[in-house]
Amino acid sequence: MFTKKEIIEILKDDIQNEQLFEYADIVRKNHVGDDVHLRGLIEFSNICKCTCFYCGLRAENKNTERYRFLPDDIVKYAKNAANLGFKTIVLQSGEDCFYTKDIICRIISEIKKLDIALTLSIGERPYDELKAFKDAGADRYLLRIETTDENLYKSLHPGMDFKNRLNCLKNLQKLGYETGSGCLVGLPNQTIESLADDILFFKENNFDMIGIGPFISHPDTPLKNAPNGDFTLSLKVMALARILMKDINIPATTAMETLNPQGRIIALQSGANVVMPNVTTSEYRKKYEIYPNKICVNKNADKCTGCIKRKIESIGRTVSKDYGFRKRI
Ligand code: SAH
């Protein structure tokens, strides 16, 4: 187990990067094996009441054409993904109040008839709603803390409360969800020390999944002039997460591939064991612009799935046929 001081040293010093990535790859192989879990991502609404400084979906961005899927269409996309062989669906959206507790519960019950695992990534919700979603059959929930630096969090999330996000994560764990968190790397004013705190926070809380991605500057946000996060630093944070949390699920994030054309494959070889291909159509992929230059926005579900499967097999890995729950060791 690394101390905070050691983590900081590793993050600051680039001389041993290759050893770090190789070691994370060995830990991944020994503890979660060569299987890569595919999660079919449905970005079902880009309407959001929040104003996170970094995010293109922020309520104040008037340049985004907004959309929301009807519940039946969400289920249709899920069916299509199940037919393509996906064993997990991830439903992601902005914080869109149209989808009430009852509407989400109905969508969950329909999708759970398909014999697949279901992950929600729909932002902060009160305890009773999270409980209702769990009772309706949701298996997992993704809620990145984004940064554990409370002052930085406050400066980037007007009207939001760090404590509430923490509380939400605690509630998810209490309710028995497989709980995912994670952070952005390279936010303006984010320090290496705070990234070390992020990694230790993930470990202390024993999250089941950790998603780490570089910050990518969006032209229609207050951070339009900020530089992008660094690919290698993001990869290092991810590799350290794997070394400290041997049996969890770690996605090779799409944001990594936006900064490096081989980003997801490199991530899969540096500790990651999950990929989340988009299973909606091109029209909506473009509009769900949390950051610019998202990959594969002109592709459709079957093309994307075939392409990522080939990439996975080309590096000697296998596409998992099971639900991909965390297997605790
Ligand atoms: N509303 C949901 C889903 C948010 S989108 C929620 O609050 O959890 C999913 C993730 O995209 C966010 O958690 C954030 O880490 C990431 N993201 C948003 N804007 C980004 C940007 N400009 N660059 C990179 N990642 C970004």
Side-chain angles (χ1 to χ4, degrees):
M1 170 71 183
F2 292 126
T3 61
K4 180 171 172 184
K5 193 162 161 271
E6 286 165 336
I7 294 175
I8 292 170
E9 271 167 26
I10 294 169
L11 290 177
K12 282 192 173 162
D13 178 4
D14 277 332
I15 291 173
Q16 304 210 53
N17 283 1
E18 285 317 310
Q19 285 96 315
L20 175 70
F21 300 143
E22 272 171 36
Y23 184 48
D25 195 42
I26 292 169
V27 172
R28 184 274 309 155
K29 190 177 173 69
N30 289 344
H31 294 87
V32 294
D34 282 337
D35 259 3
V36 175
H37 302 286
L38 296 186
R39 324 287 204 201
L41 177 65
I42 302 177
E43 295 162 337
F44 67 90
S45 162
N46 69 355
I47 297 175
C48 192
K49 64 173 195 236
C50 299
T51 53
C52 308
F53 269 29
Y54 45 81
C55 184
L57 305 190
R58 64 198 311 272
E60 285 169 11
N61 179 9
K62 303 283 180 261
N63 292 335
T64 289
E65 205 184 307
R66 304 286 171 167
Y67 71 86
R68 64 163 64 103
F69 289 178
L70 293 171
D72 283 353
D73 289 332
I74 299 176
V75 176
K76 235 179 0 205
Y77 278 112
K79 278 188 185 152
N80 188 38
N83 288 337
L84 285 171
F86 283 91
K87 301 303 279 175
T88 293
I89 293 297
V90 181
L91 298 184
Q92 193 182 80
S93 67
E95 297 220 1
D96 183 351
C97 315
F98 167 83
Y99 300 93
T100 57
K101 179 169 84 175
D102 289 348
I103 292 180
I104 296 282
C105 282
R106 260 185 282 136
I107 296 167
I108 295 169
S109 326
E110 285 303 311
I111 292 181
K112 285 302 288 182
K113 289 181 190 158
L114 303 170
D115 183 31
I116 46 181
L118 180 61
T119 306
L120 299 176
S121 175
I122 59 176
E124 295 170 28
R125 294 271 179 152
Y127 184 86
D128 72 300
E129 295 195 15
L130 296 178
K131 181 169 188 321
F133 303 157
K134 187 79 186 57
D135 292 344
D139 302 285
R140 313 186 184 120
Y141 207 105
L142 302 178
L143 189 73
R144 288 184 176 176
I145 193 69
E146 315 293 2
T147 172
T148 58
D149 176 339
E150 210 170 331
N151 288 327
L152 181 61
Y153 184 92
K154 217 172 170 176
S155 72
L156 295 171
H157 302 93
M160 288 172 79
D161 182 357
F162 183 74
K163 299 244 155 33
N164 194 48
R165 206 156 181 91
L166 279 184
N167 198 31
C168 222
L169 283 165
K170 290 258 170 286
N171 286 341
L172 290 166
Q173 289 185 312
K174 199 157 83 187
L175 287 163
Y177 281 94
E178 274 208 344
T179 304
S181 196
C183 64
L184 287 162
V185 176
L187 290 163
N189 298 319
Q190 188 179 37
T191 61
I192 293 288
E193 286 72 13
S194 89
L195 285 171
D197 284 333
D198 293 352
I199 297 168
L200 291 169
F201 167 81
F202 301 146
K203 168 89 183 161
E204 269 159 33
N205 285 279
N206 192 20
F207 292 117
D208 304 299
M209 298 169 279
I210 291 298
I212 287 155
F215 155 70
I216 300 170
S217 175
H218 191 297
D220 300 314
T221 66
L223 300 184
K224 60 175 177 239
N225 295 321
N228 286 340
D230 183 69
F231 174 76
T232 305
L233 183 60
S234 310
L235 203 62
K236 288 174 76 173
V237 173
M238 191 202 78
L240 282 164
R242 167 60 70 204
I243 293 166
L244 267 76
M245 291 161 277
K246 302 188 182 338
D247 61 358
I248 67 167
N249 285 319
I250 298 185
T253 56
T254 312
M256 295 249 195
E257 191 129 323
T258 298
L259 291 190
N260 181 318
Q262 294 300 320
R264 286 184 300 179
I265 288 298
I266 297 171
L268 284 174
Q269 293 174 309
S270 311
N273 70 323
V274 170
V275 179
M276 293 166 59
N278 193 307
V279 292
T280 60
T281 47
S282 151
E283 184 191 349
Y284 299 107
R285 293 181 187 204
K286 283 195 198 98
K287 290 182 188 160
Y288 196 85
E289 199 186 50
I290 44 183
Y291 51 80
N293 305 318
K294 271 176 68 189
I295 56 162
C296 308
V297 288
N298 293 318
K299 303 231 173 71
N300 285 339
D302 48 347
K303 266 232 172 80
C304 240
T305 311
C307 164
I308 194 68
K309 279 187 179 166
R310 277 192 297 280
K311 282 190 184 180
I312 290 165
E313 280 156 11
S314 78
I315 55 165
R317 302 277 281 279
T318 42
V319 175
S320 167
K321 293 191 174 62
D322 74 25
Y323 301 104
F325 285 101
R326 177 184 185 183
K327 295 178 189 76
R328 284 172 192 269
I329 49 166

